[in-house]
Amino acid sequence: DELSKEIVLQCKDSNKPYFAEIEARYIKKVIDNKNIDFDAIVYVPASSANVKRRGYDHMKEIAKILSEKTGKPIAENLDRNKENVDQTEVRENERLNNVLKSFRACGDLYEKRVLLIDDVVTTGATLIACEKALAEIEPKEIIPVTFVAARPKR
């Protein structure tokens, strides 16, 4: 809906990271309502170009707040290993190829239940790419949760 879209845009691109609180509260509500059990929070990292432009990684801000609310640690186990075209600029059928090898997992999440968070899911391509990368370090389970679902560009 329009309100959710505005919250995401304000958090990402209007230098208002305090909107991360709204997104974190919603994700916490989903966790509670679905009785999701997890050991650590992994967030989809922003590209280095976006972090430089914004001055912060909006998903890291959301993860920090969510960590405070749940008492679960943030696992810094996912990195971007290449820059790609912004997903909003890519057609639906090209999105997975755009991000497939954009992420790299490192460290130890062996047998951990990981909550993978992102702000928006459209086609699921970014989450799929992150799950594939995380699978390399063998977590027990990867549970994706997003703030909002959006319709893809056609």
Side-chain angles (χ1 to χ4, degrees):
D1 68 0
E2 287 302 310
L3 179 59
S4 297
K5 180 180 177 183
E6 189 61 27
I7 290 167
V8 169
L9 291 175
Q10 291 293 323
C11 185
K12 279 185 172 181
D13 292 321
S14 295
N15 198 22
K16 297 178 181 172
Y18 50 84
F19 275 89
E21 176 77 28
I22 297 168
E23 293 186 49
R25 277 189 200 167
Y26 177 81
I27 292 171
K28 173 71 165 76
K29 194 174 192 176
V30 170
I31 292 166
D32 292 345
N33 288 345
K34 295 186 181 262
N35 294 314
I36 297 172
D37 186 28
F38 62 98
D39 302 307
I41 301 164
V42 174
Y43 60 92
V44 175
S47 69
S48 57
N50 282 336
V51 171
K52 185 175 181 179
R53 180 174 56 80
R54 293 177 186 134
Y56 60 94
D57 184 331
H58 68 291
M59 287 309 305
K60 186 172 187 174
E61 296 303 313
I62 293 166
K64 285 179 188 175
I65 296 165
L66 192 59
S67 176
E68 290 170 9
K69 291 184 178 305
T70 62
K72 303 290 181 161
I74 298 171
E76 301 271 356
N77 295 81
L78 191 61
D79 293 319
R80 280 194 185 255
N81 61 350
K82 75 171 196 169
E83 297 292 320
N84 54 286
V85 177
D86 190 295
Q87 288 289 74
T88 61
E89 303 298 321
V90 180
R91 291 180 189 263
E92 180 180 1
N93 62 345
E94 300 168 345
R95 287 184 171 209
L96 186 56
N97 283 336
N98 184 46
V99 292
L100 198 52
K101 297 191 190 278
S102 295
F103 300 96
R104 177 181 61 89
C106 56
D108 183 19
L109 287 176
Y110 183 74
E111 288 298 306
K112 301 274 191 216
R113 292 177 314 267
V114 175
L115 184 76
L116 175 61
I117 62 167
D118 200 3
D119 56 353
V120 179
V121 61
T122 306
T123 63
T126 301
L127 292 172
I128 290 168
C130 290
E131 288 174 357
K132 285 183 181 285
L134 287 168
E136 297 290 320
I137 57 174
E138 302 181 48
K140 181 177 186 175
E141 185 178 12
I142 301 168
I143 308 150
V145 177
T146 63
F147 173 65
V148 68
R151 289 190 168 159
K153 271 187 189 178
R154 296 275 176 202

